[in-house]
Amino acid sequence: MKKAVFLDRDGVINEMLTGRVKFVNKPEDFYLLPGVPEAIRKLNGHFDYIFVVTNQGGVGLGFLKESELRKIHGHMMKELKKRGAIIHDVAYCPHRPKAGCACRKPGSKMIEDLAKKYNVDLSQSYMVGDTDTDIQAGKRAGTKTVFIGEEESSADAVFPDLFSAADWMIEDAQMH
């Protein structure tokens, strides 16, 4: 079975709620956070897959069309690939925040569906996110969890950014 890293998008891979951009509603609003391509490139060397799992309630709320969201994800993958960093697949929940769907994090359906599709051992994999809902989704799916940010979290590890989290995941995965 394969090992994977599941990454939340906004706040882990790209800027959101910064001086430059509030929400990413078009490809031009997409700015990679510092160290992200290098971190993903590093993870590519040690894990079979790198996935993005992202709640995109803006679609259900009418702020963004699903076709535009797919363009943003295509742009993200292309920009990362130019820097030698590969994202293998992207799962997103387009539903409104209170829609009650199974796919929206803290639900774990996006993670579980990708794991099934790619034959991933969730107990040997990691969910990385910057909110509690990301961590809850990872725990429900049975992954180890990494919180990106400052605050206290129930995650297995907490780091200020993906770049510093990458080394820990690589080391942790080699020990287990």
Side-chain angles (χ1 to χ4, degrees), residues 64-109:
L64 134 109
K65 289 189 167 67
E66 213 161 327
S67 58
E68 201 61 21
L69 180 62
R70 284 196 288 272
K71 275 186 207 153
I72 292 165
H73 289 151
H75 173 73
M76 169 185 74
M77 291 170 86
K78 202 165 61 203
E79 288 305 303
L80 286 165
K81 195 174 182 180
K82 274 187 209 164
R83 295 164 177 86
I86 307 301
I87 298 285
H88 297 92
D89 207 342
V90 177
Y92 61 87
C93 167
H95 307 112
R96 289 188 327 278
K98 301 272 186 273
C101 59
C103 50
R104 188 174 177 84
K105 295 176 291 185
S108 53
K109 187 177 181 338

Short mmCIF file of all heavy atoms in Angstrom, two decimals, residues 64-109:
data_model
loop_
_atom_site.label_atom_id
_atom_site.label_comp_id
_atom_site.label_asym_id
_atom_site.label_seq_id
_atom_site.Cartn_x
_atom_site.Cartn_y
_atom_site.Cartn_z
N LEU A 64 -18.08 31.71 -6.90
CA LEU A 64 -17.14 31.20 -7.89
C LEU A 64 -17.75 29.99 -8.57
O LEU A 64 -18.41 29.18 -7.93
CB LEU A 64 -15.84 30.89 -7.13
CG LEU A 64 -14.97 29.69 -7.21
CD1 LEU A 64 -13.69 30.13 -7.91
CD2 LEU A 64 -14.56 29.26 -5.81
N LYS A 65 -17.54 29.90 -9.88
CA LYS A 65 -18.06 28.77 -10.65
C LYS A 65 -17.11 27.59 -10.52
O LYS A 65 -15.90 27.77 -10.37
CB LYS A 65 -18.17 29.15 -12.13
CG LYS A 65 -19.28 30.14 -12.44
CD LYS A 65 -19.41 30.26 -13.96
CE LYS A 65 -20.70 30.97 -14.34
NZ LYS A 65 -20.70 32.38 -13.92
N GLU A 66 -17.65 26.39 -10.60
CA GLU A 66 -16.82 25.19 -10.49
C GLU A 66 -15.76 25.15 -11.60
O GLU A 66 -14.64 24.72 -11.38
CB GLU A 66 -17.71 23.94 -10.53
CG GLU A 66 -17.14 22.84 -9.69
CD GLU A 66 -18.15 21.74 -9.32
OE1 GLU A 66 -19.35 22.02 -9.13
OE2 GLU A 66 -17.69 20.61 -9.21
N SER A 67 -16.11 25.63 -12.80
CA SER A 67 -15.16 25.66 -13.92
C SER A 67 -13.97 26.57 -13.57
O SER A 67 -12.82 26.27 -13.91
CB SER A 67 -15.84 26.14 -15.20
OG SER A 67 -16.38 27.43 -15.00
N GLU A 68 -14.24 27.67 -12.87
CA GLU A 68 -13.19 28.59 -12.46
C GLU A 68 -12.30 27.94 -11.39
O GLU A 68 -11.08 28.09 -11.40
CB GLU A 68 -13.82 29.89 -11.93
CG GLU A 68 -12.91 31.08 -11.92
CD GLU A 68 -12.36 31.52 -13.29
OE1 GLU A 68 -12.95 31.18 -14.34
OE2 GLU A 68 -11.33 32.20 -13.29
N LEU A 69 -12.92 27.20 -10.47
CA LEU A 69 -12.17 26.49 -9.44
C LEU A 69 -11.22 25.48 -10.08
O LEU A 69 -10.05 25.37 -9.68
CB LEU A 69 -13.14 25.77 -8.47
CG LEU A 69 -12.48 24.98 -7.35
CD1 LEU A 69 -11.67 25.89 -6.42
CD2 LEU A 69 -13.54 24.23 -6.53
N ARG A 70 -11.70 24.77 -11.11
CA ARG A 70 -10.83 23.82 -11.80
C ARG A 70 -9.66 24.54 -12.48
O ARG A 70 -8.54 24.03 -12.49
CB ARG A 70 -11.63 22.99 -12.80
CG ARG A 70 -12.44 21.90 -12.10
CD ARG A 70 -12.94 20.84 -13.06
NE ARG A 70 -14.00 21.33 -13.92
CZ ARG A 70 -15.30 21.31 -13.60
NH1 ARG A 70 -15.68 20.78 -12.46
NH2 ARG A 70 -16.20 21.78 -14.44
N LYS A 71 -9.90 25.75 -13.00
CA LYS A 71 -8.82 26.55 -13.61
C LYS A 71 -7.79 26.93 -12.55
O LYS A 71 -6.59 26.89 -12.80
CB LYS A 71 -9.38 27.83 -14.23
CG LYS A 71 -9.89 27.67 -15.63
CD LYS A 71 -10.27 29.04 -16.19
CE LYS A 71 -11.35 28.88 -17.26
NZ LYS A 71 -12.19 30.07 -17.38
N ILE A 72 -8.27 27.32 -11.37
CA ILE A 72 -7.36 27.68 -10.26
C ILE A 72 -6.49 26.48 -9.89
O ILE A 72 -5.28 26.60 -9.73
CB ILE A 72 -8.16 28.17 -9.02
CG1 ILE A 72 -8.83 29.52 -9.34
CG2 ILE A 72 -7.25 28.29 -7.80
CD1 ILE A 72 -9.91 29.92 -8.34
N HIS A 73 -7.10 25.30 -9.81
CA HIS A 73 -6.34 24.09 -9.45
C HIS A 73 -5.36 23.70 -10.55
O HIS A 73 -4.24 23.27 -10.27
CB HIS A 73 -7.28 22.95 -9.07
CG HIS A 73 -7.95 23.20 -7.76
ND1 HIS A 73 -9.19 22.70 -7.44
CD2 HIS A 73 -7.57 23.93 -6.68
CE1 HIS A 73 -9.53 23.10 -6.23
NE2 HIS A 73 -8.56 23.85 -5.75
N GLY A 74 -5.76 23.89 -11.80
CA GLY A 74 -4.84 23.63 -12.92
C GLY A 74 -3.65 24.57 -12.86
O GLY A 74 -2.49 24.16 -13.04
N HIS A 75 -3.92 25.84 -12.57
CA HIS A 75 -2.87 26.86 -12.43
C HIS A 75 -1.93 26.50 -11.27
O HIS A 75 -0.70 26.56 -11.42
CB HIS A 75 -3.54 28.22 -12.20
CG HIS A 75 -2.59 29.33 -11.87
ND1 HIS A 75 -1.75 29.88 -12.81
CD2 HIS A 75 -2.34 29.97 -10.71
CE1 HIS A 75 -1.01 30.83 -12.22
NE2 HIS A 75 -1.36 30.90 -10.96
N MET A 76 -2.51 26.11 -10.14
CA MET A 76 -1.71 25.72 -8.96
C MET A 76 -0.77 24.56 -9.33
O MET A 76 0.43 24.61 -9.03
CB MET A 76 -2.65 25.29 -7.82
CG MET A 76 -1.94 24.60 -6.66
SD MET A 76 -3.08 23.98 -5.39
CE MET A 76 -3.78 22.54 -6.22
N MET A 77 -1.31 23.52 -9.97
CA MET A 77 -0.50 22.35 -10.30
C MET A 77 0.60 22.71 -11.29
O MET A 77 1.73 22.23 -11.18
CB MET A 77 -1.39 21.23 -10.82
CG MET A 77 -2.28 20.66 -9.71
SD MET A 77 -3.56 19.52 -10.30
CE MET A 77 -2.64 17.98 -10.34
N LYS A 78 0.29 23.58 -12.26
CA LYS A 78 1.27 24.00 -13.27
C LYS A 78 2.39 24.82 -12.62
O LYS A 78 3.57 24.60 -12.90
CB LYS A 78 0.55 24.80 -14.35
CG LYS A 78 1.30 24.83 -15.67
CD LYS A 78 0.43 25.30 -16.83
CE LYS A 78 -0.04 26.71 -16.54
NZ LYS A 78 -1.26 27.09 -17.25
N GLU A 79 2.01 25.77 -11.76
CA GLU A 79 3.02 26.61 -11.08
C GLU A 79 3.95 25.75 -10.20
O GLU A 79 5.15 25.99 -10.15
CB GLU A 79 2.35 27.69 -10.22
CG GLU A 79 1.71 28.80 -11.03
CD GLU A 79 2.70 29.48 -11.98
OE1 GLU A 79 3.74 29.98 -11.52
OE2 GLU A 79 2.43 29.49 -13.20
N LEU A 80 3.38 24.78 -9.52
CA LEU A 80 4.20 23.90 -8.67
C LEU A 80 5.09 23.01 -9.53
O LEU A 80 6.28 22.84 -9.24
CB LEU A 80 3.30 23.06 -7.75
CG LEU A 80 2.69 23.84 -6.58
CD1 LEU A 80 1.55 23.05 -5.95
CD2 LEU A 80 3.75 24.19 -5.53
N LYS A 81 4.52 22.47 -10.60
CA LYS A 81 5.28 21.57 -11.48
C LYS A 81 6.49 22.28 -12.09
O LYS A 81 7.56 21.69 -12.23
CB LYS A 81 4.37 21.02 -12.57
CG LYS A 81 4.95 19.83 -13.29
CD LYS A 81 3.97 19.21 -14.26
CE LYS A 81 4.61 17.99 -14.91
NZ LYS A 81 3.69 17.38 -15.86
N LYS A 82 6.32 23.57 -12.45
CA LYS A 82 7.44 24.37 -12.98
C LYS A 82 8.60 24.38 -12.00
O LYS A 82 9.74 24.58 -12.39
CB LYS A 82 6.99 25.83 -13.16
CG LYS A 82 6.32 26.13 -14.46
CD LYS A 82 6.11 27.66 -14.53
CE LYS A 82 4.90 28.02 -15.36
NZ LYS A 82 4.47 29.41 -15.14
N ARG A 83 8.28 24.24 -10.70
CA ARG A 83 9.32 24.27 -9.66
C ARG A 83 9.64 22.86 -9.17
O ARG A 83 10.22 22.68 -8.10
CB ARG A 83 8.83 25.14 -8.50
CG ARG A 83 8.67 26.61 -8.90
CD ARG A 83 7.83 27.37 -7.86
NE ARG A 83 7.71 28.78 -8.17
CZ ARG A 83 6.78 29.31 -8.96
NH1 ARG A 83 5.90 28.52 -9.57
NH2 ARG A 83 6.72 30.60 -9.16
N GLY A 84 9.25 21.86 -9.95
CA GLY A 84 9.61 20.47 -9.64
C GLY A 84 8.77 19.83 -8.55
O GLY A 84 9.15 18.80 -7.99
N ALA A 85 7.61 20.42 -8.22
CA ALA A 85 6.75 19.91 -7.15
C ALA A 85 5.46 19.35 -7.76
O ALA A 85 4.77 20.04 -8.51
CB ALA A 85 6.41 21.04 -6.17
N ILE A 86 5.16 18.10 -7.44
CA ILE A 86 4.03 17.42 -8.08
C ILE A 86 2.87 17.19 -7.10
O ILE A 86 3.05 16.59 -6.04
CB ILE A 86 4.46 16.03 -8.64
CG1 ILE A 86 5.69 16.17 -9.56
CG2 ILE A 86 3.30 15.34 -9.37
CD1 ILE A 86 5.53 17.07 -10.76
N ILE A 87 1.69 17.67 -7.50
CA ILE A 87 0.43 17.34 -6.81
C ILE A 87 -0.25 16.30 -7.69
O ILE A 87 -0.46 16.52 -8.88
CB ILE A 87 -0.49 18.59 -6.69
CG1 ILE A 87 0.17 19.70 -5.86
CG2 ILE A 87 -1.86 18.20 -6.14
CD1 ILE A 87 0.21 19.49 -4.39
N HIS A 88 -0.58 15.14 -7.13
CA HIS A 88 -1.12 14.04 -7.94
C HIS A 88 -2.62 14.15 -8.19
O HIS A 88 -3.10 13.67 -9.21
CB HIS A 88 -0.78 12.70 -7.28
CG HIS A 88 0.69 12.46 -7.22
ND1 HIS A 88 1.45 12.83 -6.13
CD2 HIS A 88 1.56 11.97 -8.14
CE1 HIS A 88 2.72 12.53 -6.37
NE2 HIS A 88 2.81 12.02 -7.57
N ASP A 89 -3.34 14.74 -7.27
CA ASP A 89 -4.79 14.87 -7.45
C ASP A 89 -5.32 15.91 -6.48
O ASP A 89 -4.70 16.18 -5.46
CB ASP A 89 -5.48 13.51 -7.20
CG ASP A 89 -6.78 13.36 -7.97
OD1 ASP A 89 -7.35 14.38 -8.44
OD2 ASP A 89 -7.25 12.21 -8.10
N VAL A 90 -6.47 16.48 -6.84
CA VAL A 90 -7.11 17.48 -6.00
C VAL A 90 -8.56 17.05 -5.77
O VAL A 90 -9.27 16.72 -6.72
CB VAL A 90 -7.12 18.87 -6.68
CG1 VAL A 90 -7.85 19.89 -5.81
CG2 VAL A 90 -5.70 19.34 -6.97
N ALA A 91 -8.96 17.02 -4.51
CA ALA A 91 -10.37 16.77 -4.18
C ALA A 91 -10.90 18.05 -3.54
O ALA A 91 -10.21 18.68 -2.75
CB ALA A 91 -10.50 15.61 -3.21
N TYR A 92 -12.12 18.42 -3.91
CA TYR A 92 -12.70 19.62 -3.31
C TYR A 92 -14.17 19.40 -3.00
O TYR A 92 -14.84 18.61 -3.67
CB TYR A 92 -12.50 20.85 -4.20
CG TYR A 92 -13.16 20.74 -5.56
CD1 TYR A 92 -14.49 21.11 -5.74
CD2 TYR A 92 -12.44 20.26 -6.65
CE1 TYR A 92 -15.10 21.00 -6.98
CE2 TYR A 92 -13.04 20.16 -7.89
CZ TYR A 92 -14.37 20.52 -8.06
OH TYR A 92 -14.97 20.40 -9.29
N CYS A 93 -14.64 20.07 -1.97
CA CYS A 93 -16.05 20.07 -1.63
C CYS A 93 -16.62 21.41 -2.06
O CYS A 93 -16.24 22.44 -1.51
CB CYS A 93 -16.25 19.88 -0.12
SG CYS A 93 -17.95 20.23 0.36
N PRO A 94 -17.53 21.41 -3.06
CA PRO A 94 -18.09 22.67 -3.56
C PRO A 94 -19.33 23.13 -2.80
O PRO A 94 -19.89 24.17 -3.10
CB PRO A 94 -18.46 22.30 -5.00
CG PRO A 94 -18.87 20.86 -4.90
CD PRO A 94 -17.99 20.26 -3.84
N HIS A 95 -19.75 22.35 -1.81
CA HIS A 95 -21.03 22.62 -1.15
C HIS A 95 -20.96 23.79 -0.17
O HIS A 95 -19.90 24.10 0.36
CB HIS A 95 -21.53 21.35 -0.45
CG HIS A 95 -21.57 20.18 -1.38
ND1 HIS A 95 -20.72 19.10 -1.24
CD2 HIS A 95 -22.33 19.94 -2.48
CE1 HIS A 95 -20.96 18.24 -2.21
NE2 HIS A 95 -21.92 18.72 -2.98
N ARG A 96 -22.11 24.39 0.08
CA ARG A 96 -22.20 25.48 1.06
C ARG A 96 -21.80 24.97 2.43
O ARG A 96 -22.02 23.81 2.76
CB ARG A 96 -23.65 26.01 1.12
CG ARG A 96 -24.09 26.78 -0.10
CD ARG A 96 -25.45 27.44 0.11
NE ARG A 96 -26.37 26.68 0.95
CZ ARG A 96 -27.12 25.66 0.51
NH1 ARG A 96 -27.06 25.27 -0.73
NH2 ARG A 96 -27.93 25.04 1.35
N PRO A 97 -21.25 25.86 3.27
CA PRO A 97 -20.79 25.46 4.60
C PRO A 97 -21.80 24.67 5.44
O PRO A 97 -21.41 23.75 6.14
CB PRO A 97 -20.43 26.78 5.26
CG PRO A 97 -19.97 27.63 4.11
CD PRO A 97 -20.84 27.23 2.94
N LYS A 98 -23.07 24.97 5.36
CA LYS A 98 -24.03 24.27 6.22
C LYS A 98 -24.87 23.25 5.43
O LYS A 98 -25.96 22.90 5.82
CB LYS A 98 -24.96 25.27 6.92
CG LYS A 98 -24.23 26.30 7.78
CD LYS A 98 -24.01 25.79 9.19
CE LYS A 98 -23.43 26.83 10.10
NZ LYS A 98 -21.98 26.92 10.12
N ALA A 99 -24.35 22.79 4.29
CA ALA A 99 -25.13 21.91 3.41
C ALA A 99 -25.34 20.50 3.99
O ALA A 99 -26.21 19.77 3.56
CB ALA A 99 -24.47 21.80 2.04
N GLY A 100 -24.49 20.12 4.96
CA GLY A 100 -24.64 18.81 5.59
C GLY A 100 -24.12 17.66 4.73
O GLY A 100 -24.51 16.51 4.91
N CYS A 101 -23.20 17.95 3.79
CA CYS A 101 -22.65 16.90 2.93
C CYS A 101 -21.58 16.11 3.69
O CYS A 101 -21.07 16.56 4.71
CB CYS A 101 -22.03 17.53 1.69
SG CYS A 101 -20.70 18.70 2.10
N ALA A 102 -21.23 14.94 3.16
CA ALA A 102 -20.22 14.10 3.81
C ALA A 102 -18.80 14.52 3.42
O ALA A 102 -17.84 14.18 4.10
CB ALA A 102 -20.43 12.64 3.41
N CYS A 103 -18.69 15.27 2.31
CA CYS A 103 -17.33 15.56 1.82
C CYS A 103 -16.69 16.76 2.51
O CYS A 103 -15.47 16.83 2.63
CB CYS A 103 -17.32 15.76 0.30
SG CYS A 103 -18.53 16.88 -0.39
N ARG A 104 -17.47 17.70 3.01
CA ARG A 104 -16.88 18.90 3.62
C ARG A 104 -16.14 18.56 4.90
O ARG A 104 -16.67 17.92 5.79
CB ARG A 104 -17.98 19.93 3.90
CG ARG A 104 -17.42 21.26 4.34
CD ARG A 104 -18.49 22.33 4.48
NE ARG A 104 -17.89 23.55 4.98
CZ ARG A 104 -17.28 24.45 4.23
NH1 ARG A 104 -17.23 24.29 2.93
NH2 ARG A 104 -16.73 25.52 4.77
N LYS A 105 -14.86 19.01 4.99
CA LYS A 105 -14.13 18.81 6.24
C LYS A 105 -14.85 19.60 7.33
O LYS A 105 -15.29 20.71 7.06
CB LYS A 105 -12.67 19.31 6.09
CG LYS A 105 -11.87 18.51 5.09
CD LYS A 105 -10.47 19.08 4.88
CE LYS A 105 -10.51 20.42 4.16
NZ LYS A 105 -9.18 20.96 3.83
N PRO A 106 -15.02 19.07 8.54
CA PRO A 106 -14.31 17.97 9.19
C PRO A 106 -14.72 16.54 8.76
O PRO A 106 -14.22 15.59 9.32
CB PRO A 106 -14.63 18.19 10.67
CG PRO A 106 -15.98 18.80 10.68
CD PRO A 106 -16.01 19.68 9.45
N GLY A 107 -15.61 16.40 7.80
CA GLY A 107 -15.89 15.06 7.25
C GLY A 107 -14.64 14.53 6.57
O GLY A 107 -13.80 15.30 6.11
N SER A 108 -14.53 13.22 6.47
CA SER A 108 -13.29 12.63 5.94
C SER A 108 -13.46 11.98 4.57
O SER A 108 -12.57 11.31 4.08
CB SER A 108 -12.76 11.60 6.94
OG SER A 108 -13.77 10.67 7.24
N LYS A 109 -14.60 12.19 3.93
CA LYS A 109 -14.90 11.52 2.65
C LYS A 109 -13.88 11.83 1.55
O LYS A 109 -13.48 10.93 0.81
CB LYS A 109 -16.31 11.90 2.19
CG LYS A 109 -16.78 11.11 0.97
CD LYS A 109 -18.22 11.48 0.61
CE LYS A 109 -18.80 10.75 -0.57
NZ LYS A 109 -17.94 10.16 -1.55
#
